[in-house]
Coordinates of all heavy atoms in Angstrom, one line a residue:
M348 N 55.4 179.6 13.9 CA 54.1 179.5 14.6 C 53.0 179.5 13.6 O 52.1 178.8 13.7 CB 54.0 180.6 15.6 CG 54.9 180.5 16.9 SD 54.5 179.0 17.8 CE 53.2 179.6 18.9
R349 N 53.1 180.5 12.7 CA 52.1 180.6 11.7 C 51.9 179.4 10.8 O 50.8 178.9 10.5 CB 52.4 181.8 10.8 CG 51.2 182.7 10.5 CD 51.5 183.9 9.7 NE 51.1 185.1 10.3 CZ 51.4 186.3 9.8 NH1 52.1 186.4 8.7 NH2 51.1 187.4 10.4
R350 N 53.1 178.8 10.5 CA 53.1 177.6 9.6 C 52.4 176.5 10.3 O 51.6 175.8 9.7 CB 54.6 177.2 9.4 CG 54.9 177.3 7.9 CD 56.3 176.8 7.6 NE 56.9 177.7 6.6 CZ 58.2 177.7 6.3 NH1 59.0 176.9 7.0 NH2 58.7 178.5 5.4
E351 N 52.7 176.3 11.6 CA 52.0 175.2 12.3 C 50.5 175.3 12.3 O 49.7 174.4 12.1 CB 52.5 175.2 13.8 CG 53.8 174.4 14.0 CD 54.3 174.5 15.4 OE1 53.6 174.6 16.3 OE2 55.6 174.5 15.5
K352 N 50.1 176.6 12.5 CA 48.6 176.9 12.5 C 48.0 176.5 11.1 O 47.0 175.9 11.0 CB 48.4 178.4 12.7 CG 48.0 178.6 14.2 CD 47.6 180.1 14.3 CE 47.4 180.4 15.8 NZ 47.2 181.8 16.1
N353 N 48.8 176.8 10.1 CA 48.3 176.5 8.7 C 48.1 175.0 8.5 O 47.2 174.6 7.9 CB 49.3 177.1 7.7 CG 48.9 178.5 7.2 OD1 47.7 178.9 7.4 ND2 49.8 179.2 6.7
I354 N 49.1 174.3 9.0 CA 49.1 172.8 8.8 C 47.8 172.3 9.6 O 47.1 171.5 9.0 CB 50.4 172.2 9.4 CG1 51.5 172.4 8.4 CG2 50.2 170.7 9.6 CD1 52.9 172.2 9.0
N355 N 47.6 172.7 10.8 CA 46.5 172.3 11.6 C 45.2 172.6 10.8 O 44.3 171.8 10.8 CB 46.5 172.9 12.9 CG 47.5 172.2 13.9 OD1 47.8 171.1 13.6 ND2 47.9 172.9 14.9
Y356 N 45.2 173.8 10.3 CA 44.0 174.2 9.6 C 43.7 173.3 8.4 O 42.6 172.9 8.2 CB 44.1 175.7 9.1 CG 43.0 176.2 8.3 CD1 41.8 176.4 8.9 CD2 43.1 176.4 6.9 CE1 40.7 176.9 8.2 CE2 42.1 176.9 6.2 CZ 40.8 177.1 6.8 OH 39.8 177.6 6.1
N357 N 44.8 173.0 7.6 CA 44.6 172.2 6.4 C 44.1 170.8 6.8 O 43.2 170.2 6.2 CB 45.9 172.0 5.7 CG 46.2 173.3 4.8 OD1 45.2 173.9 4.4 ND2 47.4 173.5 4.5
V358 N 44.7 170.2 7.9 CA 44.3 168.9 8.3 C 42.9 168.8 8.7 O 42.1 168.0 8.3 CB 45.3 168.4 9.5 CG1 44.7 167.2 10.2 CG2 46.6 168.1 9.0
S359 N 42.5 169.8 9.5 CA 41.1 169.8 10.0 C 40.1 170.0 8.9 O 39.0 169.5 8.8 CB 40.9 170.8 11.1 OG 41.1 172.1 10.6
R360 N 40.6 170.9 7.9 CA 39.7 171.1 6.7 C 39.5 169.8 5.9 O 38.4 169.5 5.5 CB 40.3 172.2 5.9 CG 39.2 172.8 5.0 CD 39.7 174.1 4.3 NE 40.8 173.8 3.4 CZ 41.2 174.6 2.4 NH1 40.6 175.7 2.2 NH2 42.2 174.2 1.6
Q361 N 40.6 169.1 5.7 CA 40.6 167.9 5.0 C 39.7 166.9 5.7 O 38.8 166.2 5.2 CB 42.0 167.3 4.9 CG 42.0 166.2 3.8 CD 43.4 165.6 3.8 OE1 44.2 165.7 4.7 NE2 43.7 164.8 2.7
Y362 N 39.9 166.8 7.1 CA 39.1 165.9 7.9 C 37.6 166.2 7.8 O 36.8 165.3 7.6 CB 39.6 166.0 9.3 CG 38.7 165.2 10.3 CD1 38.9 163.8 10.4 CD2 37.8 165.9 11.2 CE1 38.1 163.1 11.3 CE2 37.1 165.1 12.0 CZ 37.2 163.8 12.1 OH 36.4 163.1 13.0
R363 N 37.3 167.5 7.9 CA 35.9 167.9 7.8 C 35.3 167.6 6.4 O 34.2 167.1 6.3 CB 35.8 169.4 8.1 CG 35.4 169.7 9.5 CD 35.2 171.2 9.7 NE 36.4 171.9 9.7 CZ 36.6 173.2 9.4 NH1 35.7 173.9 8.9 NH2 37.8 173.7 9.5
W364 N 36.1 167.8 5.4 CA 35.6 167.4 4.0 C 35.3 165.9 3.9 O 34.3 165.5 3.4 CB 36.7 167.9 3.0 CG 36.2 167.7 1.6 CD1 35.4 168.6 0.9 CD2 36.5 166.6 0.7 NE1 35.2 168.1 -0.3 CE2 35.8 166.9 -0.5 CE3 37.2 165.4 0.8 CZ2 35.9 166.1 -1.6 CZ3 37.2 164.6 -0.3 CH2 36.6 164.9 -1.5
Q365 N 36.2 165.1 4.5 CA 36.0 163.7 4.4 C 34.8 163.3 5.2 O 34.0 162.4 4.8 CB 37.3 163.0 4.9 CG 38.4 162.9 3.9 CD 39.7 162.3 4.5 OE1 39.8 162.1 5.7 NE2 40.6 161.9 3.6
K366 N 34.6 163.9 6.3 CA 33.5 163.6 7.2 C 32.2 164.0 6.4 O 31.2 163.2 6.4 CB 33.6 164.4 8.5 CG 33.0 163.7 9.7 CD 33.2 164.5 10.9 CE 32.1 164.2 11.9 NZ 32.1 165.1 13.0
K367 N 32.2 165.1 5.8 CA 31.0 165.6 5.0 C 30.7 164.6 3.9 O 29.6 164.3 3.7 CB 31.3 167.0 4.5 CG 30.1 167.8 4.2 CD 30.5 169.1 3.5 CE 29.3 169.7 2.8 NZ 29.7 170.9 2.0
Q368 N 31.8 164.2 3.2 CA 31.6 163.2 2.1 C 30.9 161.9 2.6 O 30.1 161.4 2.0 CB 32.9 162.9 1.4 CG 33.6 164.1 0.7 CD 32.7 164.6 -0.4 OE1 32.1 163.9 -1.2 NE2 32.7 165.9 -0.5
K369 N 31.4 161.5 3.8 CA 30.9 160.3 4.4 C 29.4 160.5 4.7 O 28.6 159.6 4.5 CB 31.7 159.9 5.6 CG 32.2 158.5 5.6 CD 33.0 158.2 6.8 CE 33.7 156.9 6.7 NZ 34.5 156.6 7.8
E370 N 29.1 161.6 5.3 CA 27.7 161.9 5.6 C 26.8 161.9 4.4 O 25.6 161.5 4.5 CB 27.6 163.2 6.4 CG 27.9 163.1 7.9 CD 28.2 164.4 8.6 OE1 27.9 165.4 7.9 OE2 28.6 164.4 9.7
L371 N 27.3 162.4 3.3 CA 26.6 162.5 2.1 C 26.5 161.2 1.4 O 25.9 161.0 0.3 CB 27.2 163.6 1.1 CG 27.1 165.0 1.6 CD1 27.9 165.9 0.7 CD2 25.6 165.5 1.5
G372 N 27.3 160.2 1.9 CA 27.3 158.9 1.3 C 28.2 158.9 0.0 O 27.9 158.2 -1.0
R373 N 29.3 159.7 0.1 CA 30.2 159.7 -1.0 C 31.6 159.3 -0.6 O 32.0 159.3 0.5 CB 30.2 161.2 -1.6 CG 28.9 161.6 -2.1 CD 29.0 162.9 -2.9 NE 27.7 163.2 -3.5 CZ 27.4 162.7 -4.7 NH1 28.2 161.9 -5.4 NH2 26.2 162.9 -5.2
C374 N 32.4 158.9 -1.7 CA 33.7 158.4 -1.4 C 34.6 159.5 -0.8 O 34.5 160.7 -1.3 CB 34.3 157.9 -2.8 SG 36.1 157.5 -2.7
S375 N 35.3 159.2 0.2 CA 36.1 160.3 0.9 C 37.4 160.5 0.1 O 38.2 161.4 0.5 CB 36.4 159.9 2.3 OG 37.0 158.6 2.4
V376 N 37.7 159.8 -1.0 CA 38.9 160.1 -1.8 C 38.6 160.9 -3.0 O 39.2 161.9 -3.2 CB 39.6 158.7 -2.2 CG1 40.9 159.0 -3.0 CG2 39.9 157.9 -1.0
C377 N 37.6 160.5 -3.8 CA 37.3 161.2 -5.0 C 35.9 161.9 -5.0 O 35.6 162.7 -5.9 CB 37.4 160.2 -6.2 SG 36.2 158.9 -6.1
G378 N 35.0 161.6 -4.0 CA 33.7 162.3 -4.0 C 32.7 161.6 -4.8 O 31.6 162.1 -4.9
E379 N 33.0 160.5 -5.4 CA 32.0 159.7 -6.2 C 31.0 159.0 -5.2 O 31.3 159.0 -4.0 CB 32.7 158.6 -7.0 CG 33.5 159.2 -8.1 CD 32.9 159.3 -9.5 OE1 32.1 158.4 -9.8 OE2 33.1 160.3 -10.2
E380 N 29.9 158.4 -5.7 CA 29.0 157.8 -4.9 C 29.7 156.6 -4.2 O 30.4 155.8 -4.8 CB 27.8 157.2 -5.7 CG 26.5 157.4 -5.0 CD 25.3 156.9 -5.9 OE1 25.1 157.6 -6.9 OE2 24.7 156.0 -5.5
A381 N 29.5 156.5 -2.8 CA 30.2 155.5 -2.1 C 29.4 154.2 -2.1 O 28.2 154.1 -2.1 CB 30.4 155.9 -0.6
E382 N 30.2 153.0 -2.1 CA 29.6 151.7 -2.0 C 29.7 151.1 -0.7 O 28.8 150.7 0.0 CB 30.2 150.8 -3.1 CG 30.0 151.2 -4.5 CD 28.6 150.8 -5.0 OE1 28.1 149.8 -4.6 OE2 28.1 151.5 -5.9
K383 N 31.0 151.0 -0.2 CA 31.3 150.4 1.1 C 32.2 151.2 1.9 O 33.2 151.8 1.4 CB 32.0 149.0 0.8 CG 31.1 147.9 0.3 CD 31.9 146.8 -0.2 CE 31.0 145.8 -0.9 NZ 31.8 144.8 -1.6
S384 N 31.9 151.2 3.2 CA 32.7 151.9 4.3 C 33.2 153.3 3.8 O 34.4 153.6 3.9 CB 33.8 151.0 4.8 OG 34.7 150.6 3.8
G385 N 32.3 154.1 3.2 CA 32.7 155.5 2.8 C 33.6 155.6 1.7 O 34.3 156.6 1.5
L386 N 33.7 154.5 0.8 CA 34.5 154.6 -0.4 C 33.8 154.1 -1.6 O 32.9 153.2 -1.4 CB 35.8 153.7 -0.2 CG 36.8 154.2 0.9 CD1 37.8 153.1 1.2 CD2 37.6 155.4 0.4
C387 N 34.1 154.6 -2.7 CA 33.5 154.1 -4.0 C 34.1 152.7 -4.3 O 35.1 152.3 -3.7 CB 33.7 155.1 -5.1 SG 35.5 155.2 -5.6
N388 N 33.4 152.1 -5.2 CA 33.9 150.7 -5.6 C 35.4 150.7 -5.9 O 36.1 149.8 -5.5 CB 33.1 150.2 -6.8 CG 32.3 149.0 -6.4 OD1 32.6 148.3 -5.4 ND2 31.2 148.7 -7.1
K389 N 35.8 151.6 -6.7 CA 37.2 151.7 -7.3 C 38.2 151.8 -6.1 O 39.1 151.0 -6.0 CB 37.3 152.8 -8.2 CG 38.6 152.8 -9.0 CD 38.8 154.1 -9.8 CE 40.2 154.4 -10.0 NZ 40.5 155.8 -9.9
H390 N 37.9 152.8 -5.2 CA 38.9 153.0 -4.2 C 38.8 151.9 -3.1 O 39.8 151.6 -2.5 CB 38.7 154.4 -3.5 CG 39.2 155.5 -4.4 ND1 38.4 156.4 -5.0 CD2 40.5 155.7 -4.8 CE1 39.1 157.2 -5.7 NE2 40.4 156.8 -5.7
Y391 N 37.6 151.3 -2.9 CA 37.5 150.2 -2.0 C 38.3 149.0 -2.4 O 39.1 148.5 -1.7 CB 36.0 149.9 -1.8 CG 35.8 148.8 -0.8 CD1 35.8 149.1 0.5 CD2 35.5 147.5 -1.2 CE1 35.6 148.1 1.5 CE2 35.2 146.5 -0.3 CZ 35.3 146.8 1.1 OH 35.1 145.8 2.0
T392 N 38.1 148.7 -3.7 CA 38.9 147.5 -4.2 C 40.4 147.9 -4.2 O 41.2 147.0 -4.0 CB 38.4 147.1 -5.6 OG1 38.3 148.3 -6.4 CG2 37.2 146.3 -5.6
D393 N 40.7 149.1 -4.6 CA 42.1 149.6 -4.5 C 42.7 149.3 -3.2 O 43.8 148.7 -3.1 CB 42.2 151.1 -4.8 CG 42.7 151.4 -6.2 OD1 42.5 150.6 -7.1 OD2 43.3 152.5 -6.3
I394 N 42.1 149.7 -2.1 CA 42.6 149.6 -0.8 C 42.7 148.1 -0.4 O 43.6 147.6 0.2 CB 41.8 150.4 0.2 CG1 42.2 151.9 0.0 CG2 42.0 149.9 1.6 CD1 41.2 152.9 0.7
R395 N 41.6 147.3 -0.8 CA 41.6 145.9 -0.5 C 42.8 145.2 -1.2 O 43.4 144.4 -0.6 CB 40.3 145.3 -1.0 CG 39.1 145.5 -0.1 CD 39.4 145.0 1.3 NE 39.6 143.6 1.4 CZ 38.8 142.7 1.9 NH1 37.7 143.1 2.4 NH2 39.1 141.4 1.9
E396 N 43.0 145.5 -2.4 CA 44.1 144.9 -3.2 C 45.5 145.2 -2.5 O 46.3 144.4 -2.3 CB 44.2 145.4 -4.6 CG 43.1 144.8 -5.5 CD 43.2 143.3 -5.5 OE1 44.2 142.8 -5.8 OE2 42.1 142.7 -5.3
K397 N 45.6 146.5 -2.1 CA 46.9 146.9 -1.4 C 47.1 146.1 -0.1 O 48.2 145.7 0.2 CB 46.8 148.4 -1.1 CG 47.5 149.3 -2.1 CD 47.5 150.7 -1.8 CE 47.5 151.6 -3.1 NZ 47.1 153.0 -2.8
Q398 N 46.0 146.0 0.7 CA 46.0 145.2 1.9 C 46.4 143.8 1.7 O 47.2 143.2 2.4 CB 44.7 145.3 2.6 CG 44.5 146.6 3.4 CD 43.2 146.7 4.1 OE1 42.2 146.0 3.6 NE2 43.0 147.5 5.0
K399 N 45.8 143.2 0.6 CA 46.1 141.8 0.3 C 47.5 141.6 -0.1 O 48.2 140.7 0.4 CB 45.2 141.4 -0.9 CG 43.9 140.7 -0.5 CD 43.2 140.2 -1.8 CE 41.7 140.1 -1.5 NZ 41.0 139.9 -2.8
K400 N 48.1 142.5 -0.9 CA 49.4 142.5 -1.3 C 50.4 142.6 -0.1 O 51.3 141.8 0.0 CB 49.7 143.7 -2.3 CG 50.0 143.2 -3.7 CD 50.4 144.4 -4.6 CE 50.0 144.1 -6.0 NZ 50.2 145.3 -6.8
Y401 N 50.0 143.5 0.7 CA 50.8 143.8 1.9 C 50.9 142.5 2.8 O 51.9 142.1 3.3 CB 50.3 145.0 2.7 CG 51.0 145.2 4.0 CD1 52.2 145.9 4.0 CD2 50.5 144.8 5.2 CE1 52.9 146.1 5.1 CE2 51.1 145.1 6.4 CZ 52.4 145.7 6.3 OH 53.0 145.9 7.5
M402 N 49.7 141.9 3.0 CA 49.6 140.7 3.8 C 50.4 139.6 3.2 O 51.1 138.8 3.9 CB 48.2 140.3 4.0 CG 47.4 141.2 5.0 SD 48.3 141.5 6.5 CE 48.1 139.9 7.3
K403 N 50.4 139.5 1.9 CA 51.1 138.4 1.2 C 52.6 138.6 1.4 O 53.3 137.6 1.8 CB 50.8 138.5 -0.3 CG 50.5 137.2 -1.0 CD 50.2 137.4 -2.4 CE 49.9 136.1 -3.1 NZ 49.7 136.2 -4.5
E404 N 53.1 139.8 1.3 CA 54.5 140.1 1.5 C 54.8 139.9 3.0 O 55.9 139.3 3.3 CB 54.8 141.5 1.1 CG 54.7 141.8 -0.4 CD 55.7 141.0 -1.2 OE1 56.9 140.9 -0.8 OE2 55.3 140.3 -2.2
Y405 N 53.9 140.3 3.8 CA 54.2 140.2 5.3 C 54.3 138.7 5.7 O 55.1 138.4 6.5 CB 53.0 140.8 6.0 CG 53.2 141.0 7.5 CD1 54.2 141.9 7.9 CD2 52.4 140.3 8.4 CE1 54.4 142.0 9.3 CE2 52.6 140.4 9.7 CZ 53.6 141.3 10.2 OH 53.8 141.5 11.5
R406 N 53.5 137.8 5.1 CA 53.5 136.4 5.5 C 54.8 135.7 5.0 O 55.2 134.7 5.5 CB 52.3 135.7 4.9 CG 51.0 136.0 5.6 CD 50.0 134.9 5.5 NE 48.7 135.3 6.1 CZ 47.7 135.8 5.3 NH1 47.9 135.9 4.0 NH2 46.6 136.2 5.9
K407 N 55.4 136.3 3.9 CA 56.6 135.7 3.4 C 57.7 135.9 4.4 O 58.7 135.1 4.5 CB 57.0 136.4 2.1 CG 56.3 135.7 0.9 CD 56.8 136.4 -0.4 CE 55.8 136.1 -1.5 NZ 56.1 137.0 -2.7
T408 N 57.7 137.0 5.1 CA 58.8 137.3 6.1 C 58.5 136.5 7.4 O 57.5 135.9 7.5 CB 58.8 138.8 6.4 OG1 57.6 139.1 7.1 CG2 58.9 139.7 5.2
D409 N 59.5 136.5 8.2 CA 59.4 135.8 9.5 C 58.9 136.8 10.6 O 58.8 136.4 11.7 CB 60.7 135.2 9.9 CG 61.0 133.9 9.1 OD1 60.0 133.4 8.6 OD2 62.1 133.5 9.1
K410 N 58.6 138.0 10.2 CA 58.3 139.0 11.2 C 57.1 138.6 12.0 O 57.1 138.7 13.3 CB 57.9 140.3 10.5 CG 59.0 141.4 10.6 CD 58.5 142.7 10.0 CE 59.6 143.5 9.6 NZ 59.1 144.7 8.8
W411 N 56.0 138.1 11.4 CA 54.8 137.7 12.0 C 55.0 136.6 13.1 O 54.3 136.6 14.1 CB 53.7 137.4 11.0 CG 54.0 136.1 10.3 CD1 54.7 136.0 9.1 CD2 53.5 134.8 10.6 NE1 54.7 134.7 8.7 CE2 54.0 133.9 9.6 CE3 52.7 134.3 11.7 CZ2 53.7 132.6 9.7 CZ3 52.5 132.9 11.7 CH2 53.0 132.1 10.7
K412 N 56.0 135.7 12.7 CA 56.2 134.6 13.7 C 56.7 135.2 15.0 O 56.3 134.7 16.1 CB 57.3 133.7 13.1 CG 56.7 132.7 12.0 CD 57.7 131.8 11.5 CE 57.2 131.1 10.2 NZ 58.3 130.5 9.5
K413 N 57.6 136.2 14.9 CA 58.2 136.8 16.0 C 57.1 137.5 16.8 O 57.0 137.3 18.1 CB 59.2 137.8 15.6 CG 60.2 138.3 16.7 CD 61.1 139.4 16.2 CE 61.2 140.5 17.2 NZ 61.5 141.8 16.6
Y414 N 56.2 138.2 16.2 CA 55.1 138.9 16.9 C 54.2 137.9 17.5 O 53.7 138.1 18.6 CB 54.4 139.8 15.9 CG 55.2 141.1 15.6 CD1 55.4 141.4 14.2 CD2 55.7 141.9 16.6 CE1 56.1 142.6 13.9 CE2 56.4 143.0 16.3 CZ 56.6 143.4 14.9 OH 57.3 144.5 14.6
Y415 N 53.9 136.8 16.8 CA 53.0 135.8 17.3 C 53.6 135.2 18.6 O 52.8 135.0 19.6 CB 52.8 134.8 16.2 CG 51.8 133.7 16.7 CD1 50.5 134.0 16.9 CD2 52.2 132.4 16.9 CE1 49.6 133.1 17.3 CE2 51.3 131.4 17.3 CZ 50.0 131.8 17.5 OH 49.1 130.8 17.9
K416 N 54.9 134.9 18.5 CA 55.5 134.3 19.7 C 55.4 135.3 20.9 O 55.1 134.9 22.0 CB 57.0 134.1 19.4 CG 57.3 132.6 19.2 CD 58.8 132.4 19.1 CE 59.1 131.1 18.4 NZ 60.5 131.0 18.0
E417 N 55.7 136.6 20.6 CA 55.7 137.6 21.7 C 54.3 137.7 22.2 O 54.1 137.8 23.4 CB 56.1 139.0 21.1 CG 57.6 139.1 21.0 CD 58.0 140.4 20.3 OE1 57.1 141.2 20.0 OE2 59.2 140.6 20.1
W418 N 53.3 137.6 21.4 CA 51.9 137.7 21.8 C 51.5 136.5 22.7 O 50.9 136.7 23.7 CB 51.0 137.7 20.5 CG 49.5 137.9 20.9 CD1 48.9 139.0 21.2 CD2 48.6 136.8 20.9 NE1 47.5 138.7 21.4 CE2 47.3 137.4 21.3 CE3 48.6 135.4 20.7 CZ2 46.2 136.6 21.4 CZ3 47.5 134.7 20.8 CH2 46.3 135.3 21.2
C419 N 52.0 135.3 22.3 CA 51.7 134.1 23.1 C 52.3 134.3 24.5 O 51.7 133.9 25.5 CB 52.3 132.9 22.4 SG 51.3 132.3 21.0
E420 N 53.6 134.8 24.5 CA 54.2 135.0 25.8 C 53.5 135.9 26.7 O 53.3 135.7 27.9 CB 55.7 135.5 25.5 CG 56.6 134.5 25.0 CD 56.8 133.3 25.9 OE1 57.1 133.6 27.1 OE2 56.7 132.2 25.5
R421 N 53.0 137.0 26.1 CA 52.2 138.0 26.8 C 50.9 137.4 27.4 O 50.5 137.6 28.5 CB 51.9 139.2 25.9 CG 52.6 140.5 26.4 CD 52.2 141.6 25.5 NE 52.9 141.6 24.2 CZ 52.4 141.9 23.1 NH1 51.1 142.3 23.0 NH2 53.1 141.8 22.0
E422 N 50.3 136.6 26.6 CA 49.0 136.0 27.0 C 49.3 135.0 28.1 O 48.5 134.9 29.1 CB 48.4 135.2 25.8 CG 47.7 136.1 24.8 CD 46.6 137.0 25.4 OE1 45.7 136.4 25.9 OE2 46.7 138.2 25.3
K423 N 50.3 134.2 28.0 CA 50.7 133.3 29.1 C 51.0 134.0 30.4 O 50.5 133.6 31.4 CB 52.0 132.6 28.7 CG 51.8 131.1 28.4 CD 53.2 130.5 28.2 CE 53.3 129.6 27.0 NZ 54.6 129.2 26.7
Q424 N 51.7 135.1 30.2 CA 52.0 136.0 31.4 C 50.8 136.5 32.1 O 50.6 136.4 33.3 CB 52.9 137.1 30.9 CG 53.5 138.0 32.1 CD 54.7 137.3 32.7 OE1 55.3 136.4 32.1 NE2 55.1 137.7 33.9
K425 N 49.8 136.9 31.2 CA 48.6 137.5 31.7 C 47.8 136.4 32.5 O 47.3 136.6 33.6 CB 47.7 137.9 30.6 CG 47.7 139.4 30.3 CD 46.7 139.8 29.3 CE 47.2 140.8 28.3 NZ 46.3 140.9 27.2
R426 N 47.7 135.2 31.9 CA 47.0 134.1 32.5 C 47.6 133.8 33.9 O 46.9 133.5 34.9 CB 46.9 132.9 31.6 CG 45.5 132.7 31.0 CD 45.5 131.6 30.0 NE 45.8 132.1 28.7 CZ 46.3 131.4 27.7 NH1 46.7 130.1 27.9 NH2 46.5 131.9 26.5
W427 N 48.9 133.7 33.8 CA 49.7 133.3 35.0 C 49.4 134.4 36.2 O 49.2 134.0 37.3 CB 51.2 133.3 34.7 CG 52.0 132.7 35.8 CD1 52.1 131.5 36.2 CD2 52.8 133.5 36.7 NE1 52.9 131.4 37.3 CE2 53.4 132.6 37.6 CE3 53.2 134.9 36.8 CZ2 54.3 133.0 38.6 CZ3 54.1 135.3 37.7 CH2 54.6 134.4 38.6
E428 N 49.4 135.7 35.8 CA 49.2 136.7 36.8 C 47.8 136.7 37.3 O 47.5 136.9 38.5 CB 49.5 138.1 36.1 CG 50.9 138.5 36.3 CD 51.3 139.6 35.4 OE1 50.5 140.4 35.0 OE2 52.6 139.8 35.2
N429 N 46.8 136.4 36.4 CA 45.4 136.3 36.8 C 45.3 135.2 37.9 O 44.6 135.3 38.9 CB 44.5 136.0 35.7 CG 44.1 137.2 34.9 OD1 44.2 138.3 35.5 ND2 43.6 137.1 33.7
K430 N 45.9 134.0 37.6 CA 45.9 132.9 38.5 C 46.4 133.3 39.9 O 45.8 133.0 40.9 CB 46.7 131.8 37.9 CG 46.0 130.4 38.1 CD 46.9 129.4 37.4 CE 46.5 128.0 37.8 NZ 47.5 127.0 37.3
K431 N 47.6 134.0 39.8 CA 48.2 134.4 41.0 C 47.3 135.3 41.8 O 47.2 135.2 43.0 CB 49.5 135.1 40.6 CG 50.7 134.7 41.6 CD 52.0 135.3 41.0 CE 52.4 136.5 41.7 NZ 53.6 137.1 41.2
N432 N 46.7 136.2 41.1 CA 45.8 137.2 41.8 C 44.6 136.5 42.5 O 44.2 136.8 43.6 CB 45.3 138.2 40.8 CG 46.3 139.3 40.5 OD1 47.3 139.5 41.3 ND2 46.2 140.0 39.4
K433 N 44.1 135.5 41.8 CA 42.9 134.7 42.3 C 43.3 134.0 43.6 O 42.6 133.9 44.5 CB 42.4 133.8 41.3 CG 41.3 134.4 40.4 CD 40.8 133.4 39.4 CE 40.0 134.1 38.4 NZ 39.6 133.2 37.3
E434 N 44.5 133.4 43.5 CA 45.0 132.6 44.7 C 45.2 133.5 45.9 O 45.0 133.0 47.0 CB 46.3 131.9 44.3 CG 46.1 130.6 43.5 CD 47.4 130.0 42.9 OE1 48.4 130.6 43.2 OE2 47.2 129.1 42.2
K435 N 45.6 134.7 45.6 CA 45.8 135.7 46.7 C 44.5 135.9 47.5 O 44.6 136.0 48.7 CB 46.4 137.0 46.2 CG 47.9 137.1 46.3 CD 48.3 138.5 45.8 CE 49.8 138.5 45.5 NZ 50.2 139.8 44.9
R436 N 43.4 136.1 46.8 CA 42.2 136.4 47.4 C 41.6 135.2 48.0 O 41.5 134.5 48.7 CB 41.1 136.8 46.4 CG 41.3 138.3 46.0 CD 40.5 138.6 44.8 NE 41.1 139.6 44.0 CZ 40.7 139.9 42.7 NH1 39.9 139.1 42.1 NH2 41.3 140.8 42.1
Ligands
ZN637 ZN1 36.7 157.0 -4.9

């Protein structure tokens, strides 16, 4: 029980610190002056590069095709249901 409390305390403390840094206009990772979306130039580009790399790898796989297909099916289903509901009224 005590351990759980400690974890919660640490998480909220970290969260509060990050919030404070953001309010002060500082990077929420290192505390340097922030440039974009609460991050300094270095950490902002770091995250952007990671995202780019991830998307590159992600596009190489066929995963996104599967998700895209599923999404299309869902949209079709939604439209079809909307039509049905309209016809009912
Ligand atoms: Zn930083």
